[in-house]
Each structure stands twice: as structure tokens, then as C-alpha cells.
Amino acid sequence: MFPTIKVSAKLIEVVQKPYKVEGNEGISYKLRFLVGDEIWQLKSSLEQTESLKTQISQIGSAEFVARSRKEDVTLQLANFLVK
């Protein structure tokens, strides 16, 4: 079981940006939230970014899941429910 963090947050940006680095090409998917007075940026997926585009500038209840891979801790968005 992975720990979860529930906070009030504002979705401030949905990023779907093409990249080309050292011969690798693709699209970077990210979500940016305002949590308190800090900005949290998370890696995301095409499906999640598409579904959240209409909620930009909305404030809601965000639930993040903390995961660890080889000692690196990351957050993933589990839920974002607009108030």
C-alpha cells in the first residue's frame, strides 16, 4: 500500500509538450498544481491530461499517491474533485 496525500489544490496548467532529446522524440505530459503557496509539478499521461483540460483554474480536492522507485520518490495524481 502506498501512502496518499489529500490536499486542497488549484490546477494551474496542463502540459502536453513535444520534446526531442538526443535522438529521442515524444510528448511530455505534466500537471501543475498550486498547493498552498507552492507549485507541484507531476508527470502524467495523455489520458489524464486530456480529462483535466477543462478543470484548469479550478480549485478542488486533490489526492496524490507517493511512490518510490530505486530511492526516488514521486507523486502521482489519483483524484482531483472540483468543489
Side-chain angles (χ1 to χ4, degrees), residues 11-60:
L11 179 61
I12 56 174
E13 187 176 16
V14 172
V15 179
Q16 296 176 327
K17 182 179 175 184
Y19 67 86
K20 186 175 183 180
V21 178
E22 298 178 8
N24 294 323
E25 295 183 39
I27 300 175
S28 174
Y29 301 103
K30 296 180 183 176
L31 300 170
R32 296 181 75 220
F33 287 90
L34 183 62
V35 179
D37 59 355
E38 296 181 345
I39 294 176
W40 291 11
Q41 180 172 280
L42 313 167
K43 288 185 180 182
S44 190
S45 66
L46 170 63
E47 296 79 15
Q48 195 171 53
T49 55
E50 284 294 324
S51 70
L52 291 173
K53 278 183 178 180
T54 60
Q55 296 182 4
I56 293 173
S57 299
Q58 299 286 325
I59 297 172

